[in-house]
Every structure is written in C-alpha cells, then in structure tokens.
Amino acid sequence: MVDESRDESKKEQLAIVVRFVDVKGVIRERFLDTVHVENTDAATLKASLWNRVLNQNFDTGKIRGQGYDGARNMSGEWNGLQTLVRQHSPYALQLALVCISKEVDPIHEFFDKLAYVIYVVCASSERHDELQKTKAIEINELMELGEIKSGKGKNQVRTLRRAGDTRWGSHYNSISSLINMFGVTRAVLKGIMDNTTHNTRPQRGDSQVAYTHLKSFEFVFVLHMMKEVMQKTDALSQGLQKKSQDILNAMDLLSATKPDMKAPYKSTRYRPRKNDLHVTFKHFYRVDLFMETLDKQIHEMDYRFSEQSVELLSFGATLCSKQINIGDIVLLAEKYYRMDFTDQERNQLRSQLETFQVERINNAKLSKLATLSDLCQTLVETGKNSMYDLVERVCRLLLTIPVSTATTEKGFSAMKIFKTRLRNKMSNDNLANSMVIYIEKEIASKFDAESIIEELKVLKGQKAKL
C-alpha cells in the first residue's frame, strides 16, 4: 500500500506499507519506509517503490494486492502507479476506496468554509469556553421547556471538531458537530462582531465572514446534505480502517452502503453563460449539487469494485458460507491465481474442498466461523492447515488484498509529530527511521539497549568504549 504527502519542509514523502498474513494466520500491516521523491508522476513513484522493495529482498512477482488513494497518478487506469505495478505483477489487484465528494466544486468550497468557521470560533481558549458556556445555557433552557430529556450520557456539552486529511470519518464528525452547535456558533460569532472593546477590526472581520457563511442557504443546504450522504458511508469508512478487515467483510459493508425556488440562478463562482437563464435554484441544488455528489460516490465505488473485483469477491465469499461453492473456488484459482496453483494442485483443491465441506458441517468450531480471517487462524491453531494446505493458501491470497489505505494515512499523522516547524531540517533518513520505530512500537519494544550497542559496534568502530 502506497500514498504520498508533503511534509513540513514541503518535501514529497512516499509512505510504503506491507500487508501480509503471518504464520499464525493473522493479518499484519507493517510500515516499511518513507521515501523522498522529487516529483509525483507515476514513473518516479514506481521507481522509488521498486528500489525500496528490492532493497528489502522482496520478490515483486509475489505481490498479490495493491492499495492507493484516488489520485490519478496513483490509480489512473492507463498511466497510474497501479497500472505500472501490474505490468510487473499482473495479479496485484487494486480494491481500496477513497472519499470522492470533494471533486464537486461546491462541495470543495463548502469544506473550505466549514474549516474556516471552525477556525474562527475555536481560535482561542476564550472563544472555546464561550462556545461551551452558551451551549450549556441552551441545553438547560431546552430541558426546562421539556424539548429534550435528561439522562446518563445525554446532553453532554461538546465542541466543534476539525476535519483531518489523515483521519477517515473526521469530515463527517466535523459536519455533525457544527449541526449540533449551529445556534451557539452563530451566537458566539455575533458576540465577537458586536464586541468592539476587546476584539480588533481584523478579528471582527473574520467573524463577519464566518457569520455570512452560516447565513448562506447554500452552506446550510450542503451541510445537511453532506451529513445525510456521509452518514451512509461512515460505517464503511470506519470498517475499512481496521487492520483485520478482509475483503469479504468489505463486500458486505459495500452492499449495505451502495444505493422562491423558480428564480433564475446566477452563479457566483464563474461568469454566467448565455444559456444559464434556464437553470433555476431547484435545478442547481437538486442536479448540480445533490445528484452530482451521489454520482461521484457511486462512480468511485463502481471504479474501485469493478466487475472483475466483484467476481473475485463473490467467488471467495463462498468459503465462509454454509454451503461452499466448490466450482467457484476452483474457478477463482484458475482465473486469478494461475501462478499460485499448478494444474495438479487445482485438481487437488477440488478434492480438499469436498472433504473440508463435510468436516466443517460436523466440526462445531469450524461451523461457527464467519470471516476469512477467523477461518485462516483456526486452520493454523487446530493444525488442519497441513491437511487443507491448498484451502489455506486460497484464504491467505484473499486476505492479502488490501481494502483501504488507512495505515499509510496514519503514517502521515506520525510524520507530523516528528517533523514540525521547529524541526523542519530533519534529514529524510532520520525521519524514516523515527517513523518506523514510532509506528511499529510492538516490534521496537522487544529491542534492548545492549543488543543495539553491540550492533552499533559491529557497524562502526568507536573511539571510546560504549
């Protein structure tokens, strides 16, 4: 899995994460490295990726899955990085999902305005305290009127939440927080505008701009529309962030997710064309905003889960069903994993599946398994992977395919911790080493100081004794 982002010193960094299934049948995603790239065209990214992977002695011919974001240099059908990788590894499938709504211009502008409103209101601790104080007063008034009920965990005083590019679902949380705090946010902005004693002219001007956004019908319309749209995809986004997620669970989540106004409208974004007079407000909000946003979401899902991908997922899904479709599993091995199974092994796979299906019905432990991940781990734990080695191989191949790039995004969150404004001269090697140790704490905690000192002695002679 690969993604790129710009660090504090404006350098493009390429994050590389490896996904595999370990000897115990557990899905692992390990942060491998970050690489500084001079530019972000697909050829350069592919050269940097291949150089780093080959330096680690990986066999690129055994790559069975790849995951990128929605940028064209990454996922482009003709010249993207995924296409260049598949030229060397034809069985490296791309299935990861990304958020695509921001490609609609009004939606992109809306998120910019949303971030600005939250920035102005939460710019200081004094304004933040005023926001929470006003919200507490509002809650008390509503309780006195009987419009809301009291209870444990209810009516808590919250705050506005900023959206983060490296945190999936944060945009939905940011929208929900503003809807919940909409009235008190307007009140705080109005107070800043009216308080000429303690607030400077620039501060009042910023508040005036943010207040104007909140009064805009288009802003409020998109705010509620995006809450409804993103609420549908939030479960899918949260589910795909889990490292243990396998493609069959992702398929289930995808199935659950995928499905005076007559005045002439004058756009404020661009010069109106002569034939814009027939575009009414109703047409703009219904077609240019709502329908285009849904079209982008559906198109992205169709692109990520193409007919080939859906067929692959459907074939693999039968492994965890009550009645295994043996023909589909054998066809999967023949069509998508010809390099991983010989003709003789494909015939043996059919026999193993027939025996496995009977045992699964009679075995209480195997009959309760609902996911590929659980099936693979149970085969290893019970020692049945030696008997059903080809069935286990199919499980491992399917589990290796990534369904999200969340781990790479978390890597960029760690990068912001190490490379800050005060430490923007940090070398690329130092940054990469620090990120690997920080992200892979589980492995780094097993190293002791003595072993590190001994390794350092071997690598480089020391003038003084350590």
Side-chain angles (χ1 to χ4, degrees):
M1 293 179 289
V2 175
D3 200 2
E4 51 88 14
S5 181
R6 185 174 296 182
D7 64 18
E8 183 65 30
S9 58
K10 310 304 179 186
K11 293 181 179 179
E12 292 290 344
Q13 301 288 351
L14 187 72
I16 305 173
V17 175
V18 178
R19 179 184 173 99
F20 61 95
V21 182
D22 65 12
V23 294
K24 296 181 179 179
V26 180
I27 302 172
R28 302 290 186 186
E29 290 183 359
R30 295 301 186 191
F31 188 85
L32 186 64
D33 206 350
T34 57
V35 183
H36 169 55
V37 291
E38 296 294 336
N39 58 70
T40 57
D41 63 85
T44 302
L45 294 177
K46 191 256 182 181
S48 300
L49 170 63
W50 238 237
N51 180 57
R52 189 61 59 178
V53 169
L54 291 175
N55 283 343
Q56 299 293 335
N57 297 320
F58 283 110
D59 184 355
T60 56
K62 293 184 178 179
I63 297 176
R64 292 296 177 268
Q66 51 180 328
Y68 312 104
D69 62 10
R72 290 298 164 223
N73 62 334
M74 291 287 188
S75 300
E77 184 177 359
W78 304 107
N79 298 313
L81 179 58
Q82 71 149 333
T83 304
L84 298 180
V85 169
R86 291 194 69 178
Q87 291 175 359
H88 291 269
S89 303
Y91 296 95
L93 301 175
Q94 151 79 347
L95 296 179
L97 277 173
V98 296
C99 178
I100 203 70
S101 297
K102 282 190 174 183
E103 289 192 8
V104 182
D105 290 340
I107 305 300
H108 181 81
E109 291 185 13
F110 162 77
F111 279 109
D112 287 343
K113 293 176 181 178
L114 175 65
Y116 184 80
V117 170
I118 295 176
Y119 167 75
V120 172
V121 175
C122 300
S124 66
S125 58
E126 181 181 354
R127 295 180 187 178
H128 181 267
D129 293 342
E130 181 65 25
L131 183 73
Q132 292 193 315
K133 180 180 178 181
T134 307
K135 183 62 178 178
I137 295 173
E138 180 187 77
I139 291 175
N140 290 332
E141 291 176 351
L142 292 174
M143 289 178 63
E144 290 177 359
L145 294 173
E147 294 188 13
I148 58 176
K149 297 180 180 180
S150 61
K152 186 177 181 181
K154 294 183 178 180
N155 309 320
Q156 295 183 5
V157 179
R158 306 183 187 278
T159 186
L160 297 177
R161 302 181 64 174
R162 290 185 173 91
D165 292 334
T166 59
R167 297 192 302 275
W168 288 19
S170 62
H171 291 85
Y172 172 70
N173 293 331
S174 182
I175 289 172
S176 299
S177 69
L178 181 58
I179 292 177
N180 182 49
M181 307 282 288
F182 191 85
V184 296
T185 301
R186 287 189 59 181
V188 170
L189 290 173
K190 192 70 168 59
I192 297 172
M193 292 161 49
D194 296 339
N195 191 343
T196 59
T197 305
H198 296 91
N199 296 314
T200 63
R201 186 179 295 275
Q203 290 175 334
R204 298 198 303 273
D206 292 341
S207 300
Q208 176 68 50
V209 173
Y211 189 77
T212 303
H213 292 335
L214 293 184
K215 292 196 302 179
S216 166
F217 174 82
E218 181 176 325
F219 181 88
V220 176
F221 176 86
V222 178
L223 178 69
H224 286 273
M225 183 192 76
M226 289 307 299
K227 180 179 184 294
E228 295 299 321
V229 172
M230 299 187 78
Q231 188 175 24
K232 301 294 184 182
T233 58
D234 185 58
L236 178 63
S237 298
Q238 296 299 326
L240 291 180
Q241 292 185 75
K242 299 178 181 178
K243 286 186 178 181
S244 60
Q245 190 64 263
D246 59 59
I247 58 174
L248 303 186
N249 292 335
M251 193 64 185
D252 292 337
L253 288 171
L254 178 69
S255 299
T257 304
K258 188 173 176 184
D260 182 297
M261 297 297 292
K262 295 184 179 180
Y265 174 76
K266 294 183 179 179
S267 173
T268 58
R269 294 181 187 82
Y270 46 80
R271 184 179 299 174
R273 296 172 295 183
K274 291 182 180 180
N275 59 351
D276 275 349
L277 294 177
H278 74 281
V279 179
T280 63
F281 276 101
K282 181 178 180 180
H283 180 277
F284 172 73
Y285 288 113
R286 182 178 181 180
V287 178
D288 294 347
L289 272 182
F290 181 69
M291 289 186 177
E292 187 175 358
T293 301
L294 293 184
D295 285 344
K296 289 288 185 181
Q297 292 276 359
I298 296 171
H299 174 74
E300 181 68 11
M301 291 184 182
D302 290 339
Y303 176 71
R304 291 286 175 257
F305 290 85
S306 61
E307 291 183 7
Q308 180 190 39
S309 301
V310 171
E311 184 182 47
L312 170 66
L313 298 174
S314 300
F315 287 168
T318 64
L319 267 177
C320 294
S321 60
K322 293 182 179 179
Q323 186 67 28
I324 300 176
N325 192 322
I326 298 175
D328 284 351
I329 303 299
V330 175
L331 181 59
L332 181 147
E334 291 178 353
K335 191 171 183 179
Y336 296 101
Y337 297 110
R338 295 187 65 87
M339 295 178 61
D340 299 288
F341 296 90
T342 63
D343 293 338
Q344 182 179 357
E345 286 178 332
R346 283 193 286 272
N347 292 329
Q348 292 176 349
L349 175 61
R350 182 180 295 274
S351 301
Q352 285 192 14
L353 287 168
E354 292 173 352
T355 307
F356 177 72
Q357 182 163 258
V358 174
E359 181 170 355
R360 184 175 181 182
I361 296 173
N362 299 324
N363 189 311
K365 193 170 186 180
L366 290 175
S367 61
K368 295 179 181 179
L369 300 177
T371 66
L372 269 180
S373 179
D374 293 338
L375 175 59
C376 191
Q377 292 180 51
T378 304
L379 288 175
V380 175
E381 291 172 359
T382 58
K384 294 186 179 296
N385 58 328
S386 59
M387 182 185 304
Y388 303 112
D389 58 316
L390 298 179
V391 176
E392 184 200 22
R393 190 184 303 176
V394 173
C395 292
R396 289 179 178 273
L397 288 170
L398 291 172
L399 289 172
T400 303
I401 301 175
V403 294
S404 78
T405 57
T407 305
T408 57
E409 298 291 353
K410 292 174 182 177
F412 293 133
S413 297
M415 182 173 66
K416 294 179 181 180
I417 296 175
F418 287 98
K419 198 161 188 177
T420 62
R421 183 175 59 85
L422 299 177
R423 301 172 64 186
N424 60 4
K425 299 297 183 182
M426 178 183 290
S427 67
N428 296 321
D429 289 340
N430 190 13
L431 174 64
N433 295 335
S434 300
M435 288 177 61
V436 170
I437 293 174
Y438 177 80
I439 296 172
E440 300 297 343
K441 298 187 183 86
E442 179 184 349
I443 298 176
S445 62
K446 298 178 182 179
F447 299 147
D448 60 273
E450 292 298 328
S451 63
I452 296 175
I453 292 174
E454 292 300 323
E455 184 70 20
L456 186 61
K457 288 180 181 179
V458 175
L459 292 175
K460 185 177 180 181
Q462 304 293 325
K463 294 181 179 180
K465 184 177 180 181
L466 295 175

